């Protein structure tokens, strides 16, 4: 049978299950990546498994998120990750070496291989023809220990690209178009596979922009074929030996298809506060901006930065705008420094930040009160930038740079005629001296644990009944940023769940943690797509620490649902969505005969406050049923 590219890679890595959409399958993982804000938990969990050395072909630990170091916490985390990596066979990418996804694409991505990363934007390496998937830290820990990664076999969506991008239209506009079409809920349990003659007009980093922001669809991943453009990129990275041609079979069957004519795309923008609120830039042209931020794992490649430098050359940015630029990696920054592009940026008044996530995750550069920030990033959830009242718009680097000069959101008519055709250089500045190799034999390596590194919470085995007060009732599309906020004040405590949990849901209800403690935990009621966005397991660990037993939602986002199950929190879906209306905050919920009901995957929930019963479903695999009964994945591994 003719297979899609994603199906071919899955087939080559299949260790469990049948490749039928909706079935649970297990795949072998070749490579893993972690970053520091999810990495500490992932490595604590890996250590708890008692495995000496990772079993993957390659595992890399990056430090790119927590880099402000306004106290010892960040540096302590870095040291823990560096030593744990040295001991257990993991490469360590030092702070300053770059954003995990950019560096992984440059230095480690391999067409046809699988990559599992404890970050939702791991699909960036789909631009290389890799099957690259984001997951919670515990799933990545299991993969490092040699275990399979389990997913629902996705449906494969075909995005056929026709034609070629016109001047001023970019890869960012391609993914914004896809987001407009499918929305942030539209990609759950789907893989987006790009094909068509338009593919060859896109370089690997451009493809990476598209697969990166495919995360915002809630998709399992996105993927491009590997071809002569892939080889061109790998050669320039001195890695042509890693090239393998990967493409779908002729006649491959897809579950859905959309066609995008690249010739017709125009610059687009995602309006506050959702990446799928996409309109043409012309609709908001002229809006005054206070901040422009260029970078992030979506748009910080060498070509993106060169375009920005060419646009800024000879100009001064508008007096009311603060422009910050973070090149994606040491490689990119080195090249900008040696070819004079950096001087053009600085000359125009840009503030150059180190190569890392920075403002994208609210680590500094919070906009002013009611500020308008134009960013080349992938997420504009309310408050994520560090300022609740700010409006964040997502655009391409081109629109961002021209707007920084003008002081307002600029459209094509405001653009000058500058050289925006940046080819992949013959060779990139390759110098991997900030990637530390693991010890041959890690026996004698001592792991350094600072006082900020606290043990992670563990659940108990499931009892015969559960329940509690409804601690919070939230609407559709609640992000993991809203469940467990991250900003410059909180990110240093990613290894300290007791402290972090005091801020759980704080954007929505400052008293959530108090209510949870006073009532010995309880239940969360939610709308559709609960837990979209970041892969942070902390959005399950903090509720677990506070005693949350179950979440009853209209539907769940993929990674968060797995994180809940991995930690023994029951994710129930309303059989009848209207029941959502009949539950209020502080109602008392009881679930009896729990073990039987969980086995049957149909759970009746009783509301003691208003004497109503609701039917709910557990759409999970038999493996996950067991996990819930054991009280989470680690308990299950330990018992077995
Ligand atoms: C994000 O972009 O939200 C993050 C920060 O990279 C997260 C990971 C985290 O919360 O640490 C992600 O995308 O998974
Ligand atoms: Fe870092 Fe932002 Fe990318 Fe997340 S989305 S990995 S915070 S740059």
């Amino acid at each position: 049978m003719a297979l899609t590219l994603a199906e071919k890679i899955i087939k080559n890595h299949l260790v469990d299950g049948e490749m039928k959409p909706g079935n649970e399958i297990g795949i072998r993982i070749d490579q893993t990546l972690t970053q520091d804000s999810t990495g500490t938990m992932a490595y604590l969990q890996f250590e708890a498994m008692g495995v000496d050395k990772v079993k993957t072909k390659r595992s890399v630990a990056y430090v790119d998120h927590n880099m402000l170091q306004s106290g010892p916490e960040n540096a302590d985390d870095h040291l823990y990750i560096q030593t744990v990596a040295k001991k257990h066979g993991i490469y360590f990418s030092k702070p300053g070496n770059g954003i995990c996804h950019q560096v992984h694409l440059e230095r480690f991505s391999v067409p046809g291989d699988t990559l599992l990363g404890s970050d939702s934007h791991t699909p960036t390496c789909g631009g290389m023809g890799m099957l690259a998937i984001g997951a919670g830290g515990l799933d990545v820990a299991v993969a490092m220990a040699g275990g399979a990664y389990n997913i629902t076999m996705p449906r494969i969506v075909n995005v056929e690209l026709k034609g070629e991008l016109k001047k001023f239209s970019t890869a960012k506009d391609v993914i914004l178009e896809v987001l407009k079409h499918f929305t942030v809920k539209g990609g759950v349990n789907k893989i987006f596979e790009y094909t068509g003659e338009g593919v060859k007009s896109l370089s690997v980093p451009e493809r990476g922009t598209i697969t990166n922001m495919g995360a915002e669809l809630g998709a399992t991943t996105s993927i491009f074929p590997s071809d002569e453009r892939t080889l061109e990129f790998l050669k320039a990275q001195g890695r042509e030996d890693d090239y393998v041609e990967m493409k779908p079979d002729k006649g491959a069957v897809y579950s859905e298809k959309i066609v995008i004519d690249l010739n017709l795309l125009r610059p687009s923008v995602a309006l506050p506060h959702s990446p799928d609120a996409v309109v043409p830039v012309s609709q908001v042209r002229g809006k005054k901006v206070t901040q422009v931020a260029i970078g992030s794992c979506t748009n910080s490649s060498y070509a993106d930065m060169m375009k920005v430098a060419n646009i800024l050359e000879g100009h001064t940015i508008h007096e009311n705008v603060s422009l910050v630029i973070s090149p994606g990696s040491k490689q990119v920054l080195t090249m900008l420094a040696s070819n004079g592009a950096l001087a053009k940026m600085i000359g125009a008044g840009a503030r150059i930040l180190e190569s890392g996530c920075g403002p994208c995750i609210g680590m500094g550069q919070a906009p002013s009160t009611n500020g308008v920030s134009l960013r080349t990033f992938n997420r504009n959830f309310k408050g994520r930038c560090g300022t609740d009242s700010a409006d964040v718009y997502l655009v391409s680097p081109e629109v961002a740079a021209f707007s920084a000069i003008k002081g307002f959101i600029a459209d094509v008519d405001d653009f000058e005629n500058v050289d925006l055709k940046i080819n992949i250089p013959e060779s990139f500045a390759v110098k991997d001296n900030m990637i530390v190799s693991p010890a041959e034999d890690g026996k004698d390596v001592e792991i350094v644990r600072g006082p900020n590194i606290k043990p992670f919470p563990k659940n108990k085995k499931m009892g015969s009944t559960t329940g509690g007060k409804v601690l919070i009732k939230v609407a559709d599309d609640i992000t993991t940023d809203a469940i467990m906020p991250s900003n410059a004040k909180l990110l240093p405590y990613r290894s300290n769940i007791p402290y972090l949990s005091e801020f759980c849901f704080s954007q929505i209800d400052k008293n959530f943690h108090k209510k949870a403690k006073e009532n010995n935990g309880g239940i969360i009621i939610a709308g559709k797509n609960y837990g979209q966005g970041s892969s942070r397991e902390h959005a399950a660990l903090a509720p677990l620490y506070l005693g949350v037993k179950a979440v009853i939602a209209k539907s769940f986002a993929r990674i968060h649902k797995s994180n809940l199950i991995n930690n023994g929190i029951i994710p129930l879906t309303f059989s009848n969505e209207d029941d959502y209306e009949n539950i209020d905050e502080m109602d008392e919920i009881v679930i009896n005969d729990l073990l039987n009901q969980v086995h049957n995957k149909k759970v009746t929930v009783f509301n003691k406050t208003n004497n109503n019963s609701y039917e709910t479903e557990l759409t999970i695999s038999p493996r996950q049923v067991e996990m819930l009964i054991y009280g989470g994945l680690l308990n299950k591994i330990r018992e077995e």
Side-chain angles (χ1 to χ4, degrees), residues 35 37 64-65 99-101 119-121 212 216 295-298 356-362 377-379 384 534 536:
Q35 39 87 342
S37 69
D64 53 1
H65 281 62
I99 307 176
C100 55
H101 309 303
D119 191 281
S120 64
H121 291 103
N212 169 286
E216 273 47 74
S296 92
C297 55
T298 318
C357 300
C360 179
I361 187 57
F377 307 168
N378 46 41
R379 289 187 174 145
R384 179 176 159 106
S534 152
R536 64 190 68 152

Side-chain angles (χ1 to χ4, degrees), residues 559-600:
I559 304 178
H560 185 59
K561 185 173 172 187
S562 303
N563 286 341
L564 289 173
I565 299 168
N566 282 350
N567 289 290
I569 299 178
I570 313 170
L572 297 167
T573 314
F574 286 108
S575 306
N576 174 2
E577 286 186 4
D578 295 343
D579 286 339
Y580 170 90
E581 304 301 333
N582 300 325
I583 307 182
D584 289 322
E585 256 173 50
M586 296 322 275
D587 280 2
E588 186 156 358
I589 300 293
V590 186
I591 308 176
N592 287 319
D593 193 18
L594 188 59
L595 289 162
N596 269 331
Q597 297 215 72
V598 165
H599 268 297
N600 295 336

Side-chain angles (χ1 to χ4, degrees), residues 205-408:
E206 287 177 307
R207 297 174 187 182
T209 295
I210 295 169
T211 57
N212 169 286
M213 209 173 163
E216 273 47 74
L217 298 159
T220 304
T221 189
S222 305
I223 190 166
F224 274 82
S226 60
D227 56 11
E228 63 276 19
R229 300 302 304 269
T230 320
L231 182 58
E232 161 199 52
F233 180 81
L234 282 170
K235 265 194 189 146
Q237 291 287 351
R239 298 205 288 127
E240 59 264 49
D241 289 351
D242 286 335
Y243 180 70
V244 200
E245 191 190 4
M246 297 296 305
K247 57 180 182 195
D249 290 333
K250 270 211 175 72
V253 182
Y254 295 88
S255 72
E256 246 173 293
K257 174 172 175 167
I258 61 161
V259 180
I260 295 183
D261 188 345
L262 300 177
N263 295 304
L264 301 180
L265 288 185
R266 294 288 171 268
S268 292
V269 52
L271 306 175
H273 301 282
S274 183
D276 62 359
V278 176
V279 299
V281 167
S282 56
Q283 271 192 28
V284 282
R285 179 190 171 257
K287 184 161 192 69
K288 293 217 165 27
V289 296
T290 51
Q291 182 190 58
V292 175
I294 300 177
S296 92
C297 55
T298 318
N299 278 116
S300 60
S301 67
Y302 171 73
D304 282 339
M305 291 292 144
M306 287 305 294
K307 288 187 217 172
V308 170
N310 288 353
I311 293 169
L312 293 178
E313 183 173 15
H315 286 283
T316 296
I317 57 161
H318 192 274
E319 64 181 59
N320 295 336
V321 173
S322 163
L323 169 65
V324 291
I325 302 180
S326 17
S329 66
K330 167 173 169 272
Q331 179 181 93
V332 172
L333 185 53
T334 307
M335 292 174 73
L336 301 179
S338 45
N339 71 11
L342 197 57
K344 294 179 192 172
M345 294 172 167
I346 298 169
R351 302 161 68 182
I352 307 299
L353 305 180
E354 65 180 321
S355 295
C357 300
C360 179
I361 187 57
M363 288 304 263
Q365 305 301 328
S368 55
T369 305
N370 301 325
V372 174
S373 179
L374 206 57
R375 300 179 163 210
T376 65
F377 307 168
N378 46 41
R379 289 187 174 145
N380 56 349
F381 306 144
K382 194 168 165 48
R384 179 176 159 106
C385 61
T387 305
D388 274 349
S389 64
D391 279 341
V392 176
Y393 294 75
L394 306 175
V395 292
S396 66
E398 283 84 333
V399 173
F402 281 117
S403 304
I405 298 168
K406 298 282 178 193
F408 56 78

